[in-house]
Amino acid sequence: MCWAGRMMLGGIFGILLVLVHASAACEFGPFPYRATGIVCRMTKPAALLLNQETAQVIQAAFRNAKFPNITGERSVRLLGKVAYGLTNIQVNDLSIENSDVELKEENAIHIAIKNVTASFKGTLTYGYDGAWFLKLFHSVDFEIESSIDLQLNIKLMCQEDQLAADASDCYLTFHKLTLHLQGDKEPGWLKQLFTDFISFTLKIVLKREVCKEINSLAHMLANYVLDLAANFVRDNDIIVDISLASESVIKAGYLESHHKGLVLYKNYSSVFSDSVFSPSLLTESRMLYFWLSEHTLSSLASAAFLDGRLVSTIRGEKLQALFEMEDTEEQRKVVQMIFQGTSYNDSVARVWSLAHPQISLQPEGTVVKSLVAVEVSILPAGEESLVVLYMEKEISITIQAAYAEKKLILKPLDSSIEFKVFKCTADPSGNDPSIQNFLKNMISVAGIPEVISSIESALTSLMNRKGLGLFDIINPEIITRKGFVIVQLDFGFPNHLLLNFLEKGL
């Protein structure tokens, strides 16, 4: 789930640009999916939803286009040579009737925007040397009413295993271009004269500047979203390489990109060249899919181990809840023996992984095998800390994952525990079965869920810090299969994020 949030940021340009590429500038070798660790698939319904935000990008393109002064001159019969200049051209009002998006199988995205109604204002300065030594020079305010259709074909290129977007294939079709002078809506000879002079040049200038701004926005959004995505899969020294692993696919119903998914941590880096991914593993029934390999998740667990993150400290009320899960005479006796009458507030339990966890993805869930150590220390009044219990145990547990109400939910299923080392001051010989049986039951019933709960909370907090909680994620499903996991979901687009980018980035 960690990649969903940032992949959805940026509107139709951002999401499409971060998910796909054209492979003309990259070499991926003869085996298209062999090095694929992460796959993103976005279906046509998601593209249509995101296309609703396209209007904001187009409006920003018109607003931020820098229209140059337009000058020209022409000889007119009886009037002599007429020179004119349009200055201070600005967009006044802008509205968009509708837009549509189509996925082209030749690795392009076609966006058709219908009836862009725009009003341009500025100053018209003109003068002419007429016959019989007549000289006239004037400056008047003008307003141009226009109705335009806009067509974009966004071509996507791969450069150094990263995405580059080309939105220069841009066409403006004018249905209306009407010039009004000094607010006068009635036709007149002056208005007709300058409309004839200016309209052709004005169309060229508008097309050039608006299309240039759209292309610039496409590059900005692509870079912005790629930076966000890279940051989303990085936490301090743990980095996931999301550079492109193979050619993307654009079909009429979906677009799909393939990423390496290699984990980098200081001097540690994972190696992967045996992916089991196939496009047939994903369907088109949901809006967004993420396919993650077992190798990627296992490498993340190894990096977390190397970074010292697989450590949990339990004290106070939580420690009491663990050791007093059953209110029986035998339980009270064992607790008294272990803690020697010391208060839970003066005791602490530390749990940590002794080796790289082994992760296996199966239809039943995620199977985690790990060698874990548990150390319980007490601090008697006026004395140094004393270790009263130390265990090393090999644990195998199956976990099912879900995401609901903006929280990651990890549900532990069947588990097995095998003691490797057992040292307890209350049982120096290790021959008291009551202590080991109690501890084994306590670890299985309460200890493992407590540790899983702390991991669940930590991962949820991490994902929310990266921005996942800002998104409307609808009915997400996390499906494990042998060797991989699929996350599939529908979503609602948080348009305020795109607005913030357009307001700050431009």
Side-chain angles (χ1 to χ4, degrees), residues 36-38 261 272 275 291-298 361 483-485:
T36 298
I38 300 174
F272 185 53
S275 177
W291 182 96
L292 294 91
S293 70
E294 179 180 283
H295 176 84
T296 296
L297 293 181
S298 182
L361 295 174
F484 62 90
V485 60

Side-chain angles (χ1 to χ4, degrees), residues 54-272:
T54 303
Q56 296 181 37
V57 179
I58 300 304
Q59 287 172 344
F62 273 85
R63 285 197 310 267
N64 291 280
K66 306 300 182 185
F67 299 106
N69 295 337
I70 300 174
T71 59
E73 63 178 23
R74 185 174 178 180
S75 297
V76 179
R77 188 176 179 182
L78 301 178
L79 295 177
K81 185 176 291 186
V82 177
Y84 61 89
L86 277 70
T87 59
N88 302 320
I89 304 175
Q90 297 178 357
V91 178
N92 186 40
D93 295 313
L94 181 69
S95 65
I96 295 176
E97 185 175 289
N98 60 64
S99 64
D100 194 14
V101 62
E102 184 178 356
L103 305 178
K104 299 285 190 179
E105 295 198 10
E106 56 269 21
N107 269 13
I109 303 153
H110 177 73
I111 299 176
I113 297 148
K114 299 293 183 64
N115 196 16
V116 180
T117 302
S119 173
F120 300 88
K121 288 190 174 183
T123 302
L124 168 65
T125 302
Y126 64 93
Y128 50 90
D129 291 330
W132 308 291
F133 306 103
L134 178 63
K135 295 181 182 291
L136 295 175
F137 301 94
H138 294 280
S139 284
V140 296
D141 293 333
F142 72 84
E143 179 182 3
I144 299 170
E145 295 179 359
S146 67
S147 178
I148 306 168
D149 285 350
L150 176 63
Q151 293 187 2
L152 296 171
N153 286 299
I154 302 177
K155 298 177 182 178
L156 304 150
M157 301 169 291
C158 176
Q159 295 178 352
E160 298 179 356
D161 291 341
Q162 295 295 336
L163 177 72
D166 180 9
S168 60
D169 191 357
C170 170
Y171 297 93
L172 271 63
T173 302
F174 290 84
H175 300 297
K176 175 183 177 182
L177 190 66
T178 305
L179 176 68
H180 301 292
L181 300 178
Q182 294 181 321
D184 181 13
K185 305 299 182 181
E186 296 299 325
W189 71 271
L190 188 62
K191 171 187 167 185
Q192 185 62 48
L193 173 67
F194 285 105
T195 298
D196 292 341
F197 283 2
I198 294 168
S199 60
F200 178 76
T201 304
L202 185 59
K203 288 177 182 179
I204 294 175
V205 170
L206 292 180
K207 176 188 181 302
R208 182 182 68 232
E209 299 304 323
V210 170
C211 288
K212 182 171 69 175
E213 186 63 26
I214 289 173
N215 196 30
S216 175
L217 271 175
H219 282 288
M220 289 175 62
L221 280 168
N223 293 333
Y224 180 65
V225 175
L226 284 172
D227 288 344
L228 288 174
N231 178 65
F232 195 77
V233 294
R234 173 175 186 161
D235 190 62
N236 295 329
D237 292 325
I238 299 177
I239 303 168
V240 179
D241 180 3
I242 57 171
S243 58
L244 300 168
S246 65
E247 295 183 4
S248 294
V249 176
I250 299 183
K251 300 289 186 181
Y254 67 87
L255 53 88
E256 182 177 279
S257 65
H258 315 108
H259 307 265
K260 293 178 181 177
L262 300 178
V263 176
L264 311 175
Y265 174 77
K266 295 183 178 178
N267 294 328
Y268 166 84
S269 62
S270 59
V271 179
F272 185 53

Side-chain angles (χ1 to χ4, degrees), residues 364 396-399 412-416:
E364 304 81 38
S396 177
I397 182 170
T398 301
I399 301 171
L413 301 179
D414 59 307
S415 62
S416 64

